[in-house]
Amino acid sequence: MKTVCESASAIGATGDGDIVILHDPTSVAEARADIETLHRATSNLKIILVPTSEQLEVYFAEFNNTVAAIIPDGSSAEAFLSAVIMVSEGFTISASISRDAIHKVKPSELVDTGVAEGEPDNRVVASLSDREKKVLQLLALGASNKAIALELGIAEATVKSHLRSSFLKIGCKNRALAAVWASINL
């Protein structure tokens, strides 16, 4: 189902595994009521909460274990899209991907890398060059290839090359998974 609504009560029928994005609830009480309404309708619903940056810490404290992700309003489009992809692939994001604090919930793609949940894989980290590590760290912050290139003073093609090499070393298939891996390990 693809729907845009003004309130959680207007969403209607949802199915297991559906993703609902709650953007800028005006208060913790409103967000709590919306989340309870949604969970009553479908218990296996994945909710992404998008509070303003002023509300962020309060929302992390209140909803960190209740929703699939909390992404600050104003995050880059790539960071937001990565969060949606990660949630759809089984991740629970316990903090903003731009805050370098993602925790996974047994996604098959990262299980294949041999990374223990939340623990650094020092063997793989050691295999990365310093530049590959920096590129992955910036990726985890939601930076685009162009932004990474500008930050590091290298060509965008070089960023792509570092990412391809890193993906092979860390065993990830895409940017979203590499961002999660980097958040856990770097």
Side-chain angles (χ1 to χ4, degrees), residues 4-27:
V4 176
C5 302
E6 287 295 319
S7 69
S9 60
I11 290 175
T14 56
D16 279 352
D18 282 353
I19 297 173
V20 173
I21 300 168
L22 295 177
H23 181 258
D24 192 17
T26 57
S27 69

Side-chain angles (χ1 to χ4, degrees), residues 21-22 52 54 56 64 71 82 110 117-120 126-127 130 148 151 154 158 173 177-178:
I21 300 168
L22 295 177
T52 64
E54 296 81 32
L56 196 58
N64 198 34
I71 308 301
S82 292
L110 281 183
E117 185 168 327
E119 296 176 9
S127 73
D130 289 341
I148 293 169
E151 174 76 20
I154 59 178
T158 305
K173 299 176 185 177
L177 294 171

Side-chain angles (χ1 to χ4, degrees), residues 110-116 121 123:
L110 281 183
V111 170
D112 291 343
T113 68
V115 177
D121 186 345
R123 177 186 46 81

Side-chain angles (χ1 to χ4, degrees), residues 4 9 32 35 43 51 54 57 69 88 102 109 112-113 118 129 131 133 149 155 178:
V4 176
S9 60
R32 187 180 304 111
I35 291 166
S43 61
E54 296 81 32
E57 294 305 321
S88 73
I102 299 172
E109 292 88 347
D112 291 343
T113 68
S129 70
R131 187 53 61 110
K133 290 176 191 173

